[in-house]
Amino acid sequence: MTFSLLARDPGTGTLCAAAATGSLCVGGWVLRGRLDAGLSASQGAAPSTFWGEEVLDRMAGGQGASTAVAEVTGADRGRAWRQLAALDPTGRAAAFTGDENTPQMGARSFPGGIASGNMLAGLEVLDALSEAFQGAGGSPAERLIAALRAADRAGSDSRGLFSAALLVLSPAHAPLTLRIDYHDSDPIGALQTLHARATSGGYGRWARQVPCAEDPERILSETDFRD
């Protein structure tokens, strides 16, 4: 009952993901990621948060996305009601969609990424999601928001949207995880507003100076973080 996108920037190693749904709290339910493991989107009629974590553990252990997805989904007797997409740290992608999910449903892979969804107005939503991300400019988060907008315009979740989220994991920056858990008219717009506030002003300056994977002992070089 969701559409999501997972992608990797080969130049920087940044991993980024976004999701939107006609239900609540899509970020907490769907998106998972670790720089050493990759990204996952676990969704569907009866989504398994266990799937999202386990596929990351397997990819962190060296399994490629295809093997990890096949092994995680194959052992679950409730697999027909679930959907899982995964992107490993090298940018290889795989997905599984159970037959009992609500049409339209499926996945679209592209170089360095994958879009997946179910309960969609049509499969063109996935095409719009992946094509818009690949064609958009700006930061990874800005490209994710543009992709969500394009998917919404192409038909969206067949029920409309109530929540949206994004996740950006960069070796050079602290994780950026933003969630709109409920908005009754435009969760993508609310997500865009939250992103602008989180990446500008005093908060944005502070967030750019805290420890990250490339500099885990980094300290602040500025003392005034007021807007």
Side-chain angles (χ1 to χ4, degrees):
M1 300 178 284
T2 302
F3 55 85
S4 62
L5 183 141
L6 311 176
R8 178 182 183 272
D9 179 352
T12 64
T14 297
L15 302 173
C16 59
T21 188
S23 186
L24 307 179
C25 306
V26 69
W29 276 107
V30 173
L31 300 178
R32 301 284 186 277
R34 301 199 305 263
L35 278 172
D36 69 333
L39 296 164
S40 67
S42 180
Q43 53 205 41
S48 172
T49 57
F50 300 107
W51 275 18
E53 297 290 350
E54 186 178 349
V55 78
L56 290 182
D57 290 340
R58 289 178 177 274
M59 293 190 299
Q63 287 188 347
S66 294
T67 300
V69 167
E71 293 192 3
V72 167
T73 62
D76 186 342
R77 68 175 183 273
R79 65 200 300 267
W81 301 91
R82 316 196 213 289
Q83 185 176 49
L84 178 66
L87 187 79
D88 66 32
T90 68
R92 296 173 296 182
F96 165 82
T97 300
D99 292 340
E100 295 295 335
N101 287 290
T102 305
Q104 297 290 324
M105 55 188 177
R108 297 283 190 273
S109 61
F110 57 91
I114 190 165
S116 61
N118 60 93
M119 208 173 188
L120 303 172
L123 293 179
E124 59 271 15
V125 173
L126 299 179
D127 297 324
L129 186 62
S130 59
E131 290 168 7
F133 179 80
Q134 293 176 85
S139 69
E142 289 167 335
R143 295 173 67 193
L144 292 173
I145 293 168
L148 292 179
R149 280 286 191 208
D152 190 31
R153 290 193 299 267
S156 200
D157 184 314
S158 61
R159 303 162 299 174
L161 296 178
F162 285 128
S163 64
L166 63 82
L167 172 65
V168 179
L169 304 176
S170 168
H173 304 289
L176 179 66
T177 175
L178 302 178
R179 301 176 182 180
I180 303 300
D181 286 338
Y182 174 75
H183 196 283
D184 62 3
S185 60
D186 186 12
I188 300 173
L191 183 66
Q192 186 172 21
T193 298
L194 178 60
H195 171 259
R197 292 185 66 87
T199 56
S200 62
Y203 186 90
R205 291 193 298 274
W206 169 78
R208 288 190 292 272
Q209 295 189 63
V210 299
C212 63
E214 290 182 352
D215 189 356
E217 298 182 6
R218 183 160 60 185
I219 59 174
L220 304 181
S221 61
E222 298 181 38
T223 58
D224 186 354
F225 296 97
R226 294 172 295 181
D227 288 333

